[in-house]
Amino acid sequence: QGGIAVSMDNAHDSPELHFKDTLKAGAGLCDAESVWILVNEAASNIKTLFKYGVNFDMKNKSEPTLSREAAHSTNRIIHAGDTTGKEVCDKLTAVAYTRNNIMIKERTLAVDLVTVDDEVKAIIGYDEDKHTYKAYISTIVICATGGYGYLYKSTTNPNVSTGDGASMAYRAGAKLMDLEFVQFHPTVLYHKDNKSFLISEAVRGEGALLRNINGETFMENYHEQRELAPRDIVSRAIFAEMKKTNSDHVFVDVTSKDPEYFKNRFPNIYKTCMSYGIDFTKEFIPVAPAQHYCMGGIHTDIYGRTNIKGLYACGESACNGIHGANRLASNSLLEGLVFGRKIGDEVTMLLEEQGGKSQDANDVPDIKYVNGRIEKDVDSAKMIEEIREAMTDFVGIIRTGEGLSEALHKVEAIRDYVSDCKLKCHLDFELANMSTLAVLVIKSCIERTESRGGHYRSDYPETLEVWRHNIIV
Ligand code: SIN
């Protein structure tokens, strides 16, 4: 909803300032080299999007409108209304469909990598309609599989964010990093029929206030940047305010703002709120924090390379250290663009060097694929909900050693039960992946005995210098 952070050529901004803001939000754990590439290559990647016809909101013929989001020291978010990600995806997907060297296999789930001596040789795909398996032979595999937000019950993520790529890569021997850093978005619609619709931070960037259920503003009591403080701080402030007022939500208030401007600037948010009977020009929007983004993922270098030869990762499935302990708003679409392109460039070069002919993906024979030895009753839907419940109750905005141990106990039992059983459908695979990843996330949370960015432990509230390093599993 927010957009893409980019320092365009203007008097108020520079890649250096964007670099500084990203590092500050990352709470001491950003990888400076990766961040510099991100901010420095931002503008050229945005130019490519213009070339592909992405319709950004424009101030005039050549300058996009720049808006503000939390923890950015200036206006630098370019956007296409309040559905920028969709606009970018729609345009790029349309281009992909015109290319005769790109084959898109829908309803095919990647279930496992085949490696020999830590080198990728193939990827196993499961055909959800025919219930068959194929091994797609390839020396290069790029994971662009998103995050693991669906480990939580209340999340802005779609229900495919089950961490399949990270879990698959882990089974193949890839390193994962920073799994304990999970971002909770402060303002997600709180309505009995919808607890996953985002009320963009850009709304606060345009001057919206937060109010508790008594109608009082409160951010002035928590941070000098008030509503535009870093996300982890705003989320914890809302959590504290909800506790104080014994409520399960707070409000976003734009009622004193120009109604026509806000309706035009946020057409999708306006339409969606109206569909739940909330007219934001006249009444407050009820909101609560919800899981939003995973800073951790498959550990890569600046070219998207993992420790498995031929395996790459980009976007939310990857972790090259640009977000550190807490991602700066609107840096994630940018990450996808910049590092997706870098991998594309490197892989193109490698394939040209290899000079091999690609396999025809339409002409791949079925294989026999055995993923577990024991036939067991597995109620995947139920077990997935149990994992999500444990993660939400104990691995959320505020964590304790005791709660984390309880969550680990519950989730490990599920993982162990599933680990040797025959997986037979999409949901079974997701359950196996989610239980694997949930255990790793919780263990990382237990190990990090401090609070930093998206990881807050009430039993270890301080940020400690000895912990200024990443946890790699
Ligand atoms: C938002 O619009 O608030 C979300 C944007 C982001 O997470 O970067």
Side-chain angles (χ1 to χ4, degrees):
Q1 287 185 359
I4 310 178
V6 53
S7 57
M8 305 298 268
D9 256 350
N10 69 36
H12 311 287
D13 205 5
S14 63
E16 284 79 5
L17 196 55
H18 188 183
F19 177 80
K20 229 171 108 184
D21 289 347
T22 302
L23 253 52
K24 195 168 169 197
L29 276 196
C30 290
D31 180 90
E33 189 187 8
S34 304
V35 176
W36 180 247
I37 290 168
L38 178 84
V39 298
N40 204 34
E41 297 186 10
S44 64
N45 277 278
I46 298 300
K47 280 193 193 128
T48 310
L49 291 187
F50 274 109
K51 209 177 79 194
Y52 284 131
V54 173
N55 251 328
F56 290 113
D57 293 347
M58 302 296 286
K59 195 159 82 181
N60 53 43
K61 253 184 144 178
S62 57
E63 283 176 288
T65 317
L66 299 176
S67 62
R68 186 73 166 261
E69 283 183 38
H72 286 275
S73 48
T74 186
N75 290 18
R76 66 161 72 96
I77 317 296
I78 67 166
H79 48 84
D82 54 357
T83 47
T84 310
K86 182 177 185 318
E87 167 68 8
V88 171
C89 284
D90 285 351
K91 291 284 157 57
L92 295 185
T93 306
V95 174
Y97 271 108
T98 65
R99 299 279 172 87
N100 60 12
N101 64 340
I102 297 178
M103 192 160 291
I104 296 170
K105 307 292 286 181
E106 294 193 342
R107 295 186 56 74
T108 299
L109 181 72
V111 291
D112 256 323
L113 288 160
V114 178
T115 57
V116 176
D117 296 335
D118 279 346
E119 275 191 47
V120 169
K121 298 293 177 192
I123 185 156
I124 311 285
Y126 165 67
D127 185 319
E128 289 175 37
D129 295 322
K130 297 189 190 132
H131 306 286
T132 51
Y133 298 92
K134 289 184 193 296
Y136 296 94
I137 309 297
S138 180
T139 52
I140 292 169
V141 169
I142 306 167
C143 266
T145 49
Y148 43 91
Y150 199 66
L151 284 180
Y152 291 84
K153 267 165 68 166
S154 177
T155 175
T156 61
N157 291 193
N159 60 6
V160 292
S161 297
T162 45
D164 298 325
S167 188
M168 177 177 74
Y170 177 74
R171 282 195 296 279
K175 293 177 182 173
L176 310 183
M177 188 167 92
D178 287 351
L179 297 179
E180 69 277 31
F181 296 114
V182 176
Q183 186 171 77
F184 294 85
H185 197 290
T187 55
V188 176
L189 182 65
Y190 190 84
H191 185 275
K192 68 176 176 37
D193 298 326
N194 193 328
K195 293 194 178 68
S196 62
F197 182 72
L198 189 65
I199 306 298
S200 177
E201 198 162 82
V203 177
R204 276 174 285 135
E206 298 279 359
L209 294 174
L210 289 172
R211 295 186 184 277
N212 64 23
I213 54 153
N214 301 324
E216 299 152 343
T217 62
F218 54 85
M219 276 313 299
E220 63 274 20
N221 304 325
Y222 293 90
H223 197 273
E224 76 270 9
Q225 284 174 290
R226 295 190 50 140
E227 275 76 3
L228 292 182
R231 264 183 204 171
D232 56 315
I233 291 168
V234 181
S235 287
R236 280 197 298 279
I238 291 177
F239 196 75
E241 235 21 62
M242 286 176 2
K243 242 179 146 177
K244 211 158 83 185
T245 57
N246 200 16
S247 171
D248 43 20
H249 64 278
V250 295
F251 294 109
V252 168
D253 170 18
V254 299
T255 54
S256 62
K257 302 282 162 192
D258 177 354
E260 287 315 306
Y261 176 78
F262 266 71
K263 275 156 66 173
N264 288 330
R265 172 69 183 86
F266 301 109
N268 190 44
I269 296 177
Y270 179 68
K271 197 176 93 196
T272 307
C273 284
M274 282 303 273
S275 75
Y276 292 102
I278 303 159
D279 179 350
F280 70 42
T281 64
K282 299 195 179 82
E283 56 201 311
F284 301 162
I285 310 169
V287 294
Q291 193 285 338
H292 182 58
Y293 190 84
C294 301
M295 271 69 80
I298 306 164
H299 181 37
T300 71
D301 67 8
I302 54 169
Y303 298 100
R305 295 184 284 229
T306 69
N307 58 307
I308 305 286
K309 190 163 176 227
L311 178 65
Y312 293 76
C314 62
E316 196 175 348
S317 68
C319 179
N320 66 7
I322 58 168
H323 306 305
N326 184 33
R327 177 180 63 92
L328 186 66
S330 289
N331 264 355
S332 49
L333 284 178
L334 182 60
E335 173 188 15
L337 290 174
V338 170
F339 292 98
R341 167 172 298 283
K342 282 194 112 50
I343 295 173
D345 289 346
E346 157 137 339
V347 164
T348 305
M349 201 180 68
L350 282 176
L351 292 177
E352 275 167 8
E353 268 171 29
Q354 287 176 8
K357 194 176 167 302
S358 318
Q359 186 189 27
D360 179 349
N362 269 335
D363 193 23
V364 178
D366 288 347
I367 55 155
K368 185 171 160 52
Y369 168 69
V370 181
N371 56 42
R373 288 170 299 113
I374 305 175
E375 293 272 359
K376 286 189 197 171
D377 278 341
V378 182
D379 187 342
S380 291
K382 182 167 163 274
M383 287 178 167
I384 285 174
E385 285 317 306
E386 284 167 7
I387 294 172
R388 299 179 78 209
E389 203 152 305
M391 293 297 290
T392 305
D393 289 349
F394 301 113
V395 199
I397 297 180
I398 297 187
R399 303 158 175 178
T400 65
E402 203 182 327
L404 290 167
S405 299
E406 187 163 341
L408 184 63
H409 180 71
K410 289 184 176 171
V411 171
E412 255 179 347
I414 297 175
R415 185 206 55 185
D416 293 347
Y417 183 81
V418 177
S419 66
D420 56 1
C421 80
K422 282 195 172 138
L423 307 173
K424 297 196 190 101
C425 64
H426 189 133
L427 220 52
D428 289 355
F429 287 112
E430 286 188 339
L431 169 65
N433 290 333
M434 286 174 75
S435 60
T436 302
L437 213 54
V439 167
L440 298 175
V441 171
I442 299 168
K443 283 188 170 169
S444 300
C445 293
I446 291 175
E447 192 174 335
R448 185 171 288 279
T449 45
E450 65 152 358
S451 293
R452 184 186 293 274
H455 172 72
Y456 186 87
R457 288 198 44 175
S458 57
D459 48 354
Y460 292 98
E462 306 296 327
T463 302
L464 303 174
E465 189 53 30
V466 288
W467 264 115
R468 198 144 73 82
H469 60 84
N470 308 94
I471 296 178
I472 294 183
V473 295

